[in-house]
Amino acid sequence: MVIVTSQKITQEEWDFLCKKLEDWGFQLNVIQGVEKKVIGAVGDKRRVDFQFLESIPGVEKVIPILSPYKLAAKDARPEGTLIEVGDLKLGKGYFGVIAGPCAVESEDQIFKVAEGIKKAGAKGLRGGAFKPRTSPYSFQGLEEEGLRLLSRARTQSGLPIVTELMNLTELEIVTEYTDIIQIGARNMQNFGLLRAVGRQPKPVLLKRGLAATIEEWLMAAEYIMAEGNPSVILCERGIRTFETATRNTLDLSAIPLVKSRCHLPVVVDPSHGTGKRKLVLPMAKAAVMAGADGLLIEVHPDPANAWSDGEQSLNLPEFQDLMEQIKVLVQLEGKKM
Amino acid sequence: MVIVTSQKITQEEWDFLCKKLEDWGFQLNVIQGVEKKVIGAVGDKRRVDFQFLESIPGVEKVIPILSPYKLAAKDARPEGTLIEVGDLKLGKGYFGVIAGPCAVESEDQIFKVAEGIKKAGAKGLRGGAFKPRTSPYSFQGLEEEGLRLLSRARTQSGLPIVTELMNLTELEIVTEYTDIIQIGARNMQNFGLLRAVGRQPKPVLLKRGLAATIEEWLMAAEYIMAEGNPSVILCERGIRTFETATRNTLDLSAIPLVKSRCHLPVVVDPSHGTGKRKLVLPMAKAAVMAGADGLLIEVHPDPANAWSDGEQSLNLPEFQDLMEQIKVLVQLEGKKM
Amino acid sequence: MVIVTSQKITQEEWDFLCKKLEDWGFQLNVIQGVEKKVIGAVGDKRRVDFQFLESIPGVEKVIPILSPYKLAAKDARPEGTLIEVGDLKLGKGYFGVIAGPCAVESEDQIFKVAEGIKKAGAKGLRGGAFKPRTSPYSFQGLEEEGLRLLSRARTQSGLPIVTELMNLTELEIVTEYTDIIQIGARNMQNFGLLRAVGRQPKPVLLKRGLAATIEEWLMAAEYIMAEGNPSVILCERGIRTFETATRNTLDLSAIPLVKSRCHLPVVVDPSHGTGKRKLVLPMAKAAVMAGADGLLIEVHPDPANAWSDGEQSLNLPEFQDLMEQIKVLVQLEGKKM
Amino acid sequence: MVIVTSQKITQEEWDFLCKKLEDWGFQLNVIQGVEKKVIGAVGDKRRVDFQFLESIPGVEKVIPILSPYKLAAKDARPEGTLIEVGDLKLGKGYFGVIAGPCAVESEDQIFKVAEGIKKAGAKGLRGGAFKPRTSPYSFQGLEEEGLRLLSRARTQSGLPIVTELMNLTELEIVTEYTDIIQIGARNMQNFGLLRAVGRQPKPVLLKRGLAATIEEWLMAAEYIMAEGNPSVILCERGIRTFETATRNTLDLSAIPLVKSRCHLPVVVDPSHGTGKRKLVLPMAKAAVMAGADGLLIEVHPDPANAWSDGEQSLNLPEFQDLMEQIKVLVQLEGKKM
């Protein structure tokens, strides 16, 4: 790392700083600049807290050179990671589509969706049983009953299921039923939850937080991987900006950027990312061309009667149309679906 | 609420929409505008999902008229709420300062701080035992040992303690030791945690999320209150913006705004809000004049050797100076300390 | 528009408000809600200032129903607008690529680029003569000499040219040389400049401001059109968000959104939008699929020696590769190039 | 500056890079790190374009050590700058209040305001003659007639006047009438305008752009100063964030931060910063305590009938009340008013 010292650093402060760095095993290279002294500290000490270093008197700025994540870093597996659950394959040249309703509402609803999306070519079924809702007065999901319905839909359709885990207390029951555990955007830095899903073997779909930088997102993946679970799927779902015309701003440039720094598969959720049904198709197509390894699409047999997020759900014919257009693009990108 | 329909709404869509609204108990007032028809739907139906309504074909926009929170709303208690724990009083004309280190590190450290801040006039002691850290490789807190040290510091100093609860699984142990439960910014929409602290009687200090609107923040308070706990302290600690010169952008205008809409006390954390030691004093003073009911200040006996967030901690003489300046301002504002 | 009044509005305030609205020619529809009174004011009064209305005592919120732009609105020309300059065609089923260096540096440079991009299929040549630079000490462009070089490159290549107008004082000279006038992101709300280019006949390429909402962007187009110039090309070039890994956040969802509200062609600048050479190709491809009518690409014969923005410029072989990939996608979208 | 090279840099790229740096007069210090090589390049070359350097193959990141501004930097005048126009004094221990309507509307209006604010203790009169408006259909100001009215109000009241310059073409007429030239937020990076006001002697009040970082703001001041005008007043007026409850987010932490890096006076505009009349007083008081050297306050004799921005204007009694509260705080801060 590089440490820029203040113009007014005293000799005493300088000595204290150098001693600290040497105690931590760094080898120091001092550069006397025009106005300021700079230290190049060599040594791979990811555990040293940069913010702490900045509090040492006389230090102006600390600039890390190495990325703070190791297991998630591209270099750890340059060929990329393939995550495979049943017929769903994501990454390393495989593209997969996961679809389903925002919330599981009834057997009839989830069965209809599962059947419809399977026919259209989806390889995974998503559906919320425990729902994070801004208002305590909104519908909060069918909870365990929702999990059971999902599980029956899997048996019937053969599609692996993806559902959100919101609380540590529901870890056991959710992992019992689901094939892939979703960590929602609001929980991206719920570190207890990240550690817990890192200690079990099922793949984790990790949504990017609304205000999370790409580095924080990769650090959240690192939390899971550091506990022993290498199967993390990153999901871009829009960030919060000043623009209010869309629900969020879908950051598609995050896809090629993440893929240049990290070996994990990246999928995109254009339904939450835009919040508007009419934007789902163009943004899904754009996501494929930006290099995504898969999509997460909200589909409801009857969006106008959905219990939540109906305004961003496709109906089955719309989803079928999307899949047909997507297939051509995936092939063009040289990926298998 | 007001429903704006699309210019191209069909008769069938119009009939479906009106029937839905009437089924939910709304009384309809139709206004034929120049280009569009607008419906004023009268009825207090906070549970109706606005996003759902927007998915009905022919609907362009739905505009809620009533605020989505009730228990937290100013009207529910126009005189304001006083929260009182030992000598710490917040709200309704009382101003309190809570101080302490980012993380509890040792008995010596926490005892020194407790003694020092008490002498300076603080009425509460803060300290982290379980720490949310961006990196899995950073120091994560002393955990239960940290809680025990805090508890001993309380016995010795008489100051009530505030510490963060990060996970549902630690609810029992944290509530056993602490006087006020802190919910961190990253957990502001961890709804399971909000419900859980709503079902126990200790006051909750609810930090605003990095990307949370004021309405979402008040809805998070509503989650806690809806479970039966009326004692919520709101804490502004900076939001995430494009500016990188400060760690966050401390949104002081949130104070008078929240106080015009909500009866709960609002405190400010200028330490996390700015991330820079030199900005803590001016922003603390500014917070008092913006109408805050209290402050949360990071204090460490030796910031240069702190294990975390040292770059934003005051040492004890700096804190004493802050308290002296603050006292004059609090008095000027007609509040008691 | 809909006017929500405060719960505590007095009779006197109410009478004043209703009289004002009637004086302006609105027809009033009063809805007595559960807690508040709401007025539906019918009449197309785009000139009434909503912010002004909100300052009338007793008024809580004013919600416009009609969009504030008329000439730019989709309804004004539902079939879309085609802008045609030489062989460059944008909109209404036509897709065009404009390419060139950030800044014109020399005859050799601009001639090489013009020839190279033409061969690859570009239909327009861009290049900066007057450059907006954050630092007064950075290279500010060749100014008139740059315009002359561009003009010679046009003669030689036959490609129409696009260059930025920064100041009213340079209006004459820039319009004399250029075919399309670019208004940069920093000038999107330079209203004097907008009016001036609205009073001359050449097409205007209007970049979205770094912090401009889509509505403000369309209002800026309306400024130009209101002066009589109907030929506005909108250019998405990234917005400013908290993310620092990319120079800006390219908001591709703005494309389908704008196209649903406005009849003007929309082009995308992935070079400025990302600030990183490696992201240009994937984001260009994504832009086509999101519905763009064209692209603006920075190309330099020798990016490592460019005088500005070299880190985001493609070299000629990279650009050729991009064009080949783009052509397939444009065809797939059913557009002509 | 510090240059981090890529792990995969070739010998050829390395040689090219080192030669370039040496050609520019830098002295190189190479540090061989664990994974990457880092170059400390010593030499004060503010004119070298960092973005350009990042485009050289093999370069991963370039980190400037010196700040990019020199004339605006604190070190250039550590004792601070006092700007004095008539009785208005800003900076170096002096605090001044400038007040007036958003737009000049009539002789009666501006005379009433001038008289009223003078009595209350304001030392400067603000008023818009040329108004930047989002919509081309909104009132755009009285233009030259407005300047004449302002000028008469100055003669009558003795208060120096502040008014906005929007276009280079109005430079002469605006400078003829005004005492301080205001550059609005939307023009903060209108570099032609900055240069022009830098070449004339009247002080310039430079508003921070909606999406401008503090560094960009100081660079805009540097543009003016680099042309020879040292009299720049910085004005914080709120930045654009995701929060919509206030018009902008007033960034008070910018005050102490700027004052630690720059010697120019900083004033705050809580009227535009919040957009809400009720927030003006608390935020004005907070601004004083955050270290501001002055305030810009919108005052209108009859806000409910103002032609623009009435919802954020104080009436005269409200302004008088504000001034009385402010005076106490300014004294407490050890400043003269």
Side-chain angles (χ1 to χ4, degrees):
Chain A
M1 72 194 150
V2 171
I3 296 149
V4 182
T5 62
S6 152
Q7 253 176 287
K8 295 164 191 153
I9 189 170
T10 64
Q11 187 60 42
E12 198 183 2
E13 286 167 348
W14 176 262
D15 294 343
F16 176 83
L17 173 64
C18 292
K19 191 167 175 317
K20 274 260 161 184
L21 291 168
E22 283 165 351
D23 287 354
W24 285 326
F26 285 102
Q27 190 191 321
L28 308 191
N29 298 266
V30 177
I31 302 168
Q32 176 66 57
V34 176
E35 295 178 7
K36 294 170 185 182
K37 268 201 279 194
V38 167
I39 303 174
V42 176
D44 181 1
K45 301 281 145 174
R46 276 165 219 262
R47 277 154 210 263
V48 170
D49 212 310
F50 295 106
Q51 292 181 344
F52 162 56
L53 271 172
E54 289 197 346
S55 72
I56 297 184
V59 171
E60 196 177 286
K61 208 162 53 170
V62 177
I63 302 143
I65 300 300
L66 302 178
S67 73
Y69 40 87
K70 283 206 115 153
L71 304 171
K74 184 82 178 165
D75 290 345
R77 206 189 278 184
E79 73 282 10
T81 288
L82 168 67
I83 292 183
E84 207 175 337
V85 187
D87 287 345
L88 175 68
K89 292 181 187 182
L90 302 167
K92 251 180 124 171
Y94 285 91
F95 189 96
V97 178
I98 299 163
C102 180
V104 180
E105 295 165 12
S106 67
E107 187 176 280
D108 181 56
Q109 174 231 31
I110 196 71
F111 275 40
K112 255 196 204 145
V113 169
E115 198 196 331
I117 63 166
K118 195 187 175 181
K119 217 181 277 174
K123 300 290 192 219
L125 173 67
R126 53 148 292 158
F130 297 91
K131 298 296 309 168
R133 304 304 302 273
T134 306
S135 165
Y137 309 127
S138 296
F139 169 60
Q140 310 274 326
L142 291 183
E143 308 193 349
E144 194 171 351
E145 171 62 10
L147 294 175
R148 272 191 296 266
L149 293 176
L150 273 174
S151 164
R152 290 225 292 274
R154 171 184 41 201
T155 310
Q156 213 218 23
S157 67
L159 295 174
I161 58 180
V162 183
T163 201
E164 182 167 350
L165 171 66
M166 281 180 62
N167 292 300
L168 270 181
T169 43
E170 294 139 11
L171 177 66
E172 237 172 290
I173 187 169
V174 170
T175 47
E176 187 194 322
Y177 284 104
T178 199
D179 298 296
I180 296 177
I181 302 169
Q182 177 176 317
I183 300 293
R186 291 179 182 83
N187 278 321
M188 194 204 84
Q189 291 194 316
N190 184 333
F191 301 117
L193 209 55
L194 297 180
R195 282 185 193 289
V197 297
R199 286 193 208 106
Q200 60 78 51
K202 294 196 171 172
V204 177
L205 187 143
L206 178 66
K207 291 203 158 187
R208 181 178 181 186
L210 266 81
T213 62
I214 287 172
E215 189 172 300
E216 288 169 340
W217 190 19
L218 296 184
M219 286 309 286
E222 186 87 4
Y223 253 97
I224 297 169
M225 298 172 89
E227 295 293 328
N229 185 349
S231 303
V232 179
I233 303 154
L234 298 166
C235 178
E236 161 66 30
R237 44 78 72 213
I239 57 174
R240 183 161 275 183
T241 70
F242 63 83
E243 179 61 74
T244 54
T246 41
R247 186 165 171 178
N248 298 289
T249 297
L250 193 64
D251 179 12
L252 291 186
S253 62
I255 307 170
L257 197 87
V258 164
K259 293 194 78 69
S260 72
R261 298 189 181 171
C262 170
H263 57 80
L264 299 169
V266 182
V267 302
V268 171
D269 177 349
S271 307
H272 283 89
T274 64
K276 289 188 181 294
R277 191 184 309 161
K278 280 177 190 161
L279 303 186
V280 173
L281 175 62
M283 296 312 282
K285 288 158 67 182
V288 179
M289 300 321 290
D293 299 303
L295 292 169
L296 217 71
I297 307 280
E298 270 189 28
V299 177
H300 195 283
D302 182 8
N305 282 306
W307 294 1
S308 67
D309 283 350
E311 84 287 9
Q312 66 195 30
S313 291
L314 303 186
N315 59 29
L316 283 164
E318 287 165 339
F319 178 68
Q320 221 163 348
D321 175 38
L322 177 144
M323 288 301 284
E324 273 158 34
Q325 296 198 40
I326 287 298
K327 274 171 202 164
V328 181
L329 300 177
V330 169
Q331 213 172 358
L332 215 62
E333 283 288 281
K335 291 182 180 167
K336 276 161 275 180
M337 201 161 163
Chain B
M1 74 193 148
V2 171
I3 295 149
V4 182
T5 61
S6 152
Q7 254 176 285
K8 296 165 191 149
I9 190 168
T10 63
Q11 187 59 43
E12 197 185 4
E13 286 167 348
W14 175 263
D15 294 343
F16 176 83
L17 173 64
C18 292
K19 190 167 176 317
K20 273 261 158 182
L21 291 168
E22 284 166 350
D23 286 354
W24 285 325
F26 286 102
Q27 188 191 324
L28 308 191
N29 297 267
V30 177
I31 303 167
Q32 176 67 56
V34 176
E35 295 177 6
K36 295 170 184 181
K37 270 202 279 194
V38 167
I39 303 174
V42 177
D44 181 1
K45 299 282 143 174
R46 275 165 220 264
R47 278 155 209 262
V48 170
D49 211 310
F50 294 107
Q51 292 181 343
F52 161 56
L53 271 172
E54 290 197 346
S55 73
I56 296 184
V59 171
E60 196 177 285
K61 211 164 47 172
V62 177
I63 302 143
I65 300 300
L66 301 178
S67 74
Y69 40 88
K70 285 205 114 152
L71 304 171
K74 184 82 179 166
D75 290 345
R77 204 189 279 184
E79 73 282 10
T81 289
L82 168 67
I83 291 182
E84 207 176 337
V85 188
D87 287 345
L88 176 68
K89 293 181 186 180
L90 301 167
K92 252 181 123 168
Y94 285 93
F95 189 96
V97 178
I98 299 163
C102 180
V104 180
E105 295 166 11
S106 68
E107 187 177 279
D108 182 55
Q109 174 231 30
I110 195 71
F111 275 41
K112 256 196 202 144
V113 169
E115 199 198 328
I117 62 167
K118 196 188 174 178
K119 216 180 278 175
K123 300 291 191 218
L125 173 66
R126 54 149 292 157
F130 297 91
K131 298 297 308 168
R133 303 305 302 273
T134 306
S135 165
Y137 309 128
S138 296
F139 169 60
Q140 309 275 327
L142 292 184
E143 308 193 349
E144 193 172 349
E145 172 62 11
L147 293 176
R148 273 192 295 265
L149 293 177
L150 273 173
S151 164
R152 291 226 291 274
R154 170 183 43 200
T155 309
Q156 213 217 23
S157 67
L159 296 173
I161 59 181
V162 183
T163 201
E164 181 166 351
L165 170 67
M166 281 179 63
N167 291 301
L168 269 182
T169 43
E170 294 139 12
L171 176 66
E172 237 172 291
I173 187 169
V174 170
T175 47
E176 186 195 322
Y177 284 105
T178 200
D179 298 296
I180 296 177
I181 301 169
Q182 177 176 316
I183 299 293
R186 290 179 182 83
N187 277 321
M188 195 204 83
Q189 292 194 316
N190 184 334
F191 302 116
L193 210 55
L194 297 180
R195 283 184 192 289
V197 297
R199 287 192 207 106
Q200 59 78 52
K202 295 197 171 171
V204 178
L205 187 143
L206 178 67
K207 291 202 157 187
R208 180 179 181 186
L210 266 81
T213 62
I214 288 172
E215 188 172 301
E216 287 169 341
W217 191 19
L218 297 183
M219 286 310 285
E222 186 87 2
Y223 254 97
I224 299 169
M225 299 171 87
E227 295 292 329
N229 185 350
S231 304
V232 179
I233 303 154
L234 298 167
C235 178
E236 162 65 30
R237 46 77 72 211
I239 57 174
R240 183 161 274 181
T241 69
F242 62 82
E243 179 60 76
T244 55
T246 42
R247 187 165 169 178
N248 297 289
T249 297
L250 192 65
D251 179 11
L252 292 186
S253 62
I255 308 170
L257 197 87
V258 164
K259 293 194 77 70
S260 73
R261 298 188 182 172
C262 169
H263 56 81
L264 299 169
V266 182
V267 303
V268 171
D269 176 349
S271 307
H272 283 89
T274 65
K276 290 189 182 292
R277 192 184 310 162
K278 280 176 190 163
L279 302 186
V280 173
L281 176 62
M283 295 314 283
K285 288 158 67 183
V288 179
M289 300 320 291
D293 300 302
L295 292 168
L296 218 71
I297 306 280
E298 270 190 28
V299 177
H300 195 283
D302 182 9
N305 282 307
W307 294 359
S308 68
D309 282 350
E311 85 287 7
Q312 66 196 31
S313 292
L314 303 186
N315 60 29
L316 282 165
E318 286 166 339
F319 178 67
Q320 223 163 346
D321 176 39
L322 177 145
M323 288 301 286
E324 273 157 36
Q325 297 197 41
I326 287 300
K327 275 171 202 164
V328 181
L329 300 177
V330 169
Q331 213 172 356
L332 215 62
E333 283 288 283
K335 290 182 181 167
K336 276 162 274 180
M337 202 161 160
Chain C
M1 74 193 147
V2 171
I3 295 150
V4 182
T5 61
S6 152
Q7 254 176 284
K8 295 163 193 152
I9 190 169
T10 63
Q11 187 60 41
E12 198 185 2
E13 287 166 347
W14 176 262
D15 293 343
F16 176 83
L17 173 64
C18 292
K19 191 168 173 320
K20 274 260 158 184
L21 291 169
E22 283 165 351
D23 286 355
W24 285 325
F26 285 101
Q27 188 192 322
L28 309 191
N29 297 267
V30 177
I31 303 167
Q32 175 66 58
V34 177
E35 295 178 8
K36 295 170 183 180
K37 269 201 280 196
V38 167
I39 303 175
V42 176
D44 182 0
K45 301 281 144 174
R46 275 165 220 261
R47 278 154 209 263
V48 170
D49 211 310
F50 295 107
Q51 291 180 347
F52 162 55
L53 271 172
E54 290 198 346
S55 73
I56 297 184
V59 172
E60 195 177 286
K61 211 164 49 170
V62 177
I63 302 144
I65 299 301
L66 301 178
S67 73
Y69 40 88
K70 282 206 117 151
L71 305 170
K74 184 83 180 165
D75 290 346
R77 205 189 279 183
E79 73 282 10
T81 289
L82 168 68
I83 292 182
E84 206 175 338
V85 187
D87 287 346
L88 176 68
K89 293 183 187 181
L90 302 167
K92 252 180 124 170
Y94 285 92
F95 188 97
V97 178
I98 299 164
C102 181
V104 180
E105 295 166 12
S106 68
E107 188 177 277
D108 182 55
Q109 175 231 30
I110 197 72
F111 275 39
K112 254 195 205 148
V113 169
E115 197 197 331
I117 62 166
K118 197 188 174 179
K119 215 179 279 173
K123 300 290 192 219
L125 173 66
R126 54 148 291 158
F130 297 91
K131 297 297 307 168
R133 304 303 302 273
T134 306
S135 166
Y137 309 128
S138 295
F139 169 60
Q140 310 274 328
L142 292 184
E143 308 192 350
E144 194 171 349
E145 171 63 10
L147 293 175
R148 272 192 295 266
L149 293 177
L150 273 174
S151 165
R152 290 224 293 274
R154 172 184 40 200
T155 310
Q156 212 218 23
S157 66
L159 295 173
I161 60 180
V162 183
T163 201
E164 181 166 351
L165 170 67
M166 281 179 63
N167 292 301
L168 269 181
T169 44
E170 293 139 11
L171 176 66
E172 237 171 291
I173 187 169
V174 170
T175 47
E176 186 194 323
Y177 284 104
T178 200
D179 298 296
I180 296 176
I181 302 170
Q182 177 175 316
I183 299 292
R186 290 178 182 84
N187 278 321
M188 195 204 83
Q189 292 194 317
N190 184 333
F191 302 117
L193 210 55
L194 297 180
R195 283 185 193 287
V197 298
R199 287 192 207 107
Q200 59 78 50
K202 294 197 171 172
V204 178
L205 187 143
L206 177 67
K207 290 203 157 188
R208 180 180 181 185
L210 266 81
T213 61
I214 287 172
E215 189 173 300
E216 288 169 340
W217 190 18
L218 297 183
M219 287 309 287
E222 186 86 4
Y223 254 96
I224 298 169
M225 299 172 87
E227 296 292 328
N229 185 349
S231 303
V232 180
I233 304 154
L234 298 166
C235 178
E236 161 66 30
R237 45 78 71 213
I239 57 173
R240 184 160 274 182
T241 69
F242 63 82
E243 179 61 74
T244 55
T246 41
R247 187 165 169 178
N248 297 289
T249 298
L250 192 65
D251 179 11
L252 292 186
S253 61
I255 307 170
L257 198 86
V258 165
K259 294 195 78 69
S260 72
R261 298 189 181 171
C262 170
H263 56 81
L264 299 169
V266 182
V267 303
V268 171
D269 177 349
S271 306
H272 283 90
T274 64
K276 288 188 182 295
R277 190 184 311 163
K278 280 177 189 160
L279 303 187
V280 173
L281 175 62
M283 295 314 281
K285 289 157 67 181
V288 179
M289 301 321 292
D293 299 303
L295 291 169
L296 218 72
I297 306 280
E298 269 190 28
V299 176
H300 194 283
D302 182 9
N305 282 307
W307 294 0
S308 68
D309 282 350
E311 85 286 9
Q312 67 196 30
S313 292
L314 302 187
N315 60 29
L316 283 164
E318 287 165 339
F319 178 67
Q320 223 163 347
D321 175 39
L322 177 144
M323 288 301 285
E324 274 157 33
Q325 297 197 41
I326 287 299
K327 275 171 202 165
V328 181
L329 300 177
V330 169
Q331 213 172 358
L332 216 61
E333 282 289 281
K335 291 182 180 167
K336 277 162 273 178
M337 201 162 162
Chain D
M1 73 193 149
V2 171
I3 296 149
V4 182
T5 62
S6 152
Q7 252 175 287
K8 294 163 193 153
I9 190 169
T10 63
Q11 187 59 41
E12 199 185 1
E13 286 167 349
W14 175 263
D15 294 343
F16 176 83
L17 172 64
C18 292
K19 192 169 173 318
K20 274 260 160 185
L21 290 169
E22 283 166 351
D23 286 354
W24 286 325
F26 285 102
Q27 188 192 322
L28 309 190
N29 297 267
V30 177
I31 303 166
Q32 176 66 57
V34 176
E35 295 178 7
K36 294 170 185 182
K37 269 201 279 195
V38 168
I39 302 175
V42 176
D44 182 0
K45 300 281 145 176
R46 276 165 220 260
R47 277 154 209 263
V48 170
D49 212 310
F50 295 107
Q51 291 180 345
F52 162 55
L53 271 172
E54 289 197 347
S55 73
I56 297 184
V59 172
E60 195 177 285
K61 210 165 48 172
V62 177
I63 303 143
I65 300 299
L66 301 178
S67 74
Y69 41 88
K70 283 205 115 151
L71 304 170
K74 183 83 179 164
D75 291 346
R77 205 188 279 183
E79 73 282 11
T81 289
L82 168 67
I83 291 181
E84 208 175 336
V85 187
D87 287 344
L88 176 67
K89 293 182 186 181
L90 302 168
K92 251 181 123 170
Y94 286 91
F95 188 96
V97 178
I98 299 162
C102 181
V104 181
E105 295 166 12
S106 68
E107 188 177 278
D108 182 54
Q109 174 229 32
I110 196 72
F111 274 40
K112 253 196 205 146
V113 168
E115 197 197 332
I117 63 166
K118 196 187 174 179
K119 215 180 278 174
K123 300 290 190 219
L125 173 67
R126 53 148 292 158
F130 297 92
K131 299 296 308 168
R133 305 303 304 272
T134 306
S135 166
Y137 309 127
S138 296
F139 169 60
Q140 310 274 327
L142 292 184
E143 308 193 348
E144 194 172 349
E145 172 62 10
L147 293 176
R148 272 193 295 267
L149 293 177
L150 273 174
S151 165
R152 291 225 293 274
R154 173 186 38 202
T155 309
Q156 211 218 25
S157 67
L159 295 174
I161 58 180
V162 183
T163 201
E164 181 166 351
L165 171 67
M166 280 178 65
N167 292 302
L168 269 182
T169 43
E170 294 139 11
L171 177 65
E172 238 172 291
I173 187 169
V174 170
T175 47
E176 187 195 321
Y177 285 105
T178 199
D179 298 296
I180 296 176
I181 302 169
Q182 177 176 317
I183 299 292
R186 290 180 182 83
N187 278 321
M188 195 203 83
Q189 291 194 317
N190 185 333
F191 301 116
L193 210 55
L194 297 180
R195 282 184 193 290
V197 297
R199 287 192 207 107
Q200 60 77 51
K202 294 198 171 171
V204 178
L205 187 142
L206 179 66
K207 291 204 159 187
R208 181 179 181 186
L210 265 81
T213 62
I214 287 172
E215 189 173 299
E216 288 169 339
W217 191 18
L218 297 183
M219 286 309 286
E222 186 86 3
Y223 254 96
I224 298 169
M225 299 173 88
E227 296 293 329
N229 185 349
S231 303
V232 179
I233 303 154
L234 298 166
C235 178
E236 162 66 29
R237 45 78 72 213
I239 56 174
R240 183 162 275 182
T241 69
F242 62 83
E243 179 61 74
T244 55
T246 42
R247 186 164 170 179
N248 297 289
T249 298
L250 192 65
D251 179 11
L252 291 186
S253 62
I255 307 170
L257 198 86
V258 165
K259 293 194 78 70
S260 73
R261 297 189 183 172
C262 171
H263 56 81
L264 298 169
V266 182
V267 302
V268 172
D269 176 348
S271 306
H272 283 90
T274 64
K276 288 186 182 296
R277 191 184 310 164
K278 280 178 189 159
L279 302 187
V280 174
L281 176 61
M283 295 315 280
K285 289 158 67 181
V288 179
M289 300 321 291
D293 299 303
L295 292 169
L296 218 71
I297 306 279
E298 269 190 29
V299 177
H300 195 284
D302 182 9
N305 281 308
W307 294 0
S308 67
D309 282 350
E311 84 287 10
Q312 67 197 28
S313 291
L314 302 187
N315 60 29
L316 283 164
E318 286 165 340
F319 179 66
Q320 221 163 348
D321 176 38
L322 177 144
M323 287 301 285
E324 273 158 35
Q325 297 197 41
I326 288 297
K327 274 172 203 165
V328 181
L329 300 177
V330 170
Q331 212 172 358
L332 215 63
E333 283 287 282
K335 291 182 180 166
K336 276 162 275 181
M337 203 163 161

